[in-house]
Amino acid sequence: VAKWIFLLVVVLNFYNMGTTSIEGSLAYPLWETVGSKDWLAYRQTPPNLLFGIMFVFAAFSPIFLLIAMYWRRPKEISKYLVMGYLLLVLYLFVITLLYFVPDFQVPLNSVYSLPLIKKLGTDDLIYRAPAGFLLPVIVAWMFLKIKPSILKND
């Protein structure tokens, strides 16, 4: 069980790295080009709605896995690494829920605002990117601590 929980955390970490890089480096700059005339229709397209659901679920489901991983982890992984990762994911969850959703995403659901989109990109880089950078570092550190036999039955 511990091995599978860890592998799911690793997989979700890399998935989240991909979706986060697409969101920050592709979607936010694309939003600047949509314009106010097409903005509301663009925000309601199925790919945008689906991406949001997939992004939020994958980004924050590791919280539950990490709680389980704290008690059921491969013996080589320190509980401090698990706690560090969990605290960073919780930080990202809280700042997204309390700042990014109400101050950016909710207003952008009803009106196009180029200054708000630009501020979203800047604030994302300032407040979420450092934690997002540390997550794969911690996962790599965990992975390096595990013996190569992680996928075997010993």
Side-chain angles (χ1 to χ4, degrees), residues 18 29 33 55-56 59 62 65 89 91 102 116 122 137 139 145-146 154:
T33 65
F55 181 77
V56 169
L65 291 170
V89 174
Y91 164 78
L116 195 59
T122 302
V137 170
V139 164
K145 292 185 85 48
I146 295 178
D154 55 289

Side-chain angles (χ1 to χ4, degrees), residues 28 37 45 53 85 89 94 151:
Y28 295 164
K37 179 181 167 202
T45 58
I53 292 166
Y85 194 98
V89 174
V94 168
L151 299 176

Side-chain angles (χ1 to χ4, degrees), residues 48-95:
N48 281 324
L49 298 173
L50 182 61
F51 179 80
I53 292 166
M54 290 172 45
F55 181 77
V56 169
F57 174 77
F60 302 119
S61 61
I63 291 171
F64 304 107
L65 291 170
L66 290 161
I67 291 169
M69 191 173 156
Y70 183 80
W71 287 281
R72 300 281 302 182
R73 64 187 180 282
K75 64 182 182 294
E76 298 88 354
I77 297 177
S78 161
K79 65 181 175 186
Y80 299 111
L81 286 174
V82 176
M83 283 304 297
Y85 194 98
L86 177 59
L87 289 174
L88 286 172
V89 174
L90 285 171
Y91 164 78
L92 290 169
F93 177 75
V94 168
I95 197 164

Side-chain angles (χ1 to χ4, degrees), residues 10-142:
V10 170
V11 167
L12 284 170
N13 178 76
F14 286 108
Y15 177 83
N16 289 329
M17 284 174 52
T19 56
T20 302
S21 64
I22 288 171
E23 185 75 4
S25 62
L26 190 65
Y28 295 164
L30 178 66
W31 291 0
E32 295 178 17
T33 65
V34 172
S36 59
K37 179 181 167 202
D38 299 319
W39 179 249
L40 294 179
Y42 172 78
R43 286 287 276 192
Q44 298 304 315
T45 58
N48 281 324
L49 298 173
L50 182 61
F51 179 80
I53 292 166
M54 290 172 45
F55 181 77
V56 169
F57 174 77
F60 302 119
S61 61
I63 291 171
F64 304 107
L65 291 170
L66 290 161
I67 291 169
M69 191 173 156
Y70 183 80
W71 287 281
R72 300 281 302 182
R73 64 187 180 282
K75 64 182 182 294
E76 298 88 354
I77 297 177
S78 161
K79 65 181 175 186
Y80 299 111
L81 286 174
V82 176
M83 283 304 297
Y85 194 98
L86 177 59
L87 289 174
L88 286 172
V89 174
L90 285 171
Y91 164 78
L92 290 169
F93 177 75
V94 168
I95 197 164
T96 299
L97 186 68
L98 298 180
Y99 178 59
F100 283 91
V101 169
D103 289 7
F104 296 105
Q105 297 298 344
V106 170
L108 287 171
N109 280 337
S110 58
V111 66
Y112 178 81
S113 170
L114 185 57
L116 195 59
I117 293 169
K118 288 185 181 281
K119 184 165 173 42
L120 169 61
T122 302
D123 286 6
D124 186 57
L125 190 61
I126 294 168
Y127 298 115
R128 291 195 289 197
F133 173 77
L134 289 174
L135 290 174
V137 170
I138 293 173
V139 164
W141 191 355
M142 286 185 214

